Amino acid sequence: GAGVSQSPSNKVTEKGKDVELRCDPISGHTALYWYRQRLGQGLEFLIYFQGNSAPDKSGLPSDRFSAERTGESVSTLTIQRTQQEDSAVYLCASSLERPGLIGVAYEQYFGPGTRLTVT
Amino acid sequence: DAKTTQPPSMDCAEGRAANLPCNHSTISGNEYVYWYRQIHSQGPQYIIHGLKNNETNEMASLIITEDRKSSTLILPHATLRDTAVYYCIVRVARLGVDNNNDMRFGAGTRLTVKP
């Protein structure tokens, strides 16, 4: 079946502009993650959605970052007033995991990412 | 989540087994060991996971020591396409509770398979 898709694949924007990144998870996956990966570095957790529960926003670096997800569908990550340090690849992942399950492990399926360049 | 330690880079000859080590000395009893890899310019790809027992799938084998403080990912016959950054992650199996949602990807091991 179809994997996780993200759009756009590349985005170049001027400093100070707002950008919106989109993630389409695998159908039926209730869990959705956003990560940021700066050049040559590991992944940095941003936010986690699980069904209709309140999202875990503990990884968002500043109040310029926000994300939304309606139910178990598409998610959008918005960065307001972009700065040059926001330049990175933004990765989305989805998973079948359910809250409260103990002793069950699920893998995450990643999309190809959106490469954001702030000039 | 427990912290993992991996060598920054390794080389392997094509066709030989690649053995990638990971130390997770502070792992808790309810934490799984996951391995992912990231080929250049792509999103990470799940490889395998385990709790206590050794695991094998079509991609790799995972050997976990009896005390669970370290593990080794084995690619039995490495190919040039296995060149990637390999991430070892430990994470609780009880999900969606108390902000244990951060799948902490460290710097990983950059494996280069050479012809």
Side-chain angles (χ1 to χ4, degrees):
Chain A
V4 177
S5 61
Q6 293 185 245
S7 61
S9 56
N10 282 284
K11 176 73 176 178
V12 180
T13 190
E14 292 180 353
K15 177 181 174 181
K17 295 284 180 68
D18 297 351
V19 295
E20 192 171 275
L21 312 179
R22 177 186 169 110
C23 172
D24 285 81
I26 294 173
S27 178
H29 281 195
T30 59
L32 187 147
Y33 296 77
W34 282 98
Y35 295 89
R36 177 171 69 179
Q37 186 172 33
R38 293 193 167 112
L39 186 64
Q41 299 185 21
L43 276 70
E44 177 186 3
F45 167 77
L46 296 177
I47 190 168
Y48 166 77
F49 292 93
Q50 174 56 261
N52 293 315
S53 302
D56 175 2
K57 304 179 182 179
S58 60
L60 295 179
S62 76
D63 58 8
R64 296 188 295 106
F65 287 73
S66 62
E68 292 184 353
R69 187 185 188 199
T70 303
E72 299 179 2
S73 62
V74 170
S75 175
T76 55
L77 176 69
T78 301
I79 308 173
Q80 295 177 310
R81 305 180 302 281
T82 52
Q83 304 294 314
Q84 288 186 329
E85 65 260 28
D86 299 334
S87 294
V89 175
Y90 289 82
L91 290 156
C92 172
S94 71
S95 172
L96 275 171
E97 62 199 49
R98 291 284 192 276
L101 287 177
I102 300 173
V104 181
Y106 291 99
E107 61 265 35
Q108 296 182 21
Y109 296 83
F110 283 81
T114 293
R115 182 174 299 278
L116 174 66
T117 304
V118 182
T119 61
Chain B
D1 289 343
K3 184 176 179 180
T4 62
T5 305
Q6 298 177 254
S9 64
M10 290 182 65
D11 290 343
C12 177
E14 188 179 18
R16 304 297 293 270
N19 298 289
L20 294 98
C22 180
N23 287 323
H24 30 80
S25 59
T26 59
I27 192 170
S28 301
N30 64 346
E31 287 180 318
Y32 280 79
V33 180
Y34 289 83
W35 282 84
Y36 285 77
R37 73 179 182 184
Q38 188 172 26
I39 296 170
H40 182 61
S41 298
Q42 298 181 22
Q45 175 192 23
Y46 165 82
I47 301 173
I48 199 167
H49 73 269
L51 183 63
K52 297 179 184 177
N53 300 321
N54 299 336
E55 302 289 343
T56 296
N57 63 20
E58 64 278 4
M59 290 183 69
S61 294
L62 174 61
I63 309 298
I64 302 174
T65 58
E66 191 168 342
D67 63 7
R68 302 187 69 239
K69 294 186 176 183
S70 65
S71 60
T72 302
L73 179 74
I74 301 172
L75 308 178
H77 304 286
T79 70
L80 298 179
R81 287 176 294 180
D82 291 324
T83 292
V85 177
Y86 287 77
Y87 297 99
C88 169
I89 302 147
V90 293
R91 188 188 185 202
V92 293
R94 187 185 179 99
L95 302 172
V97 175
D98 299 332
N99 294 329
N100 285 323
N101 302 310
D102 182 356
M103 195 82 158
R104 294 183 183 272
F105 288 75
T109 296
R110 182 172 298 278
L111 175 69
T112 303
V113 180
K114 298 184 174 180

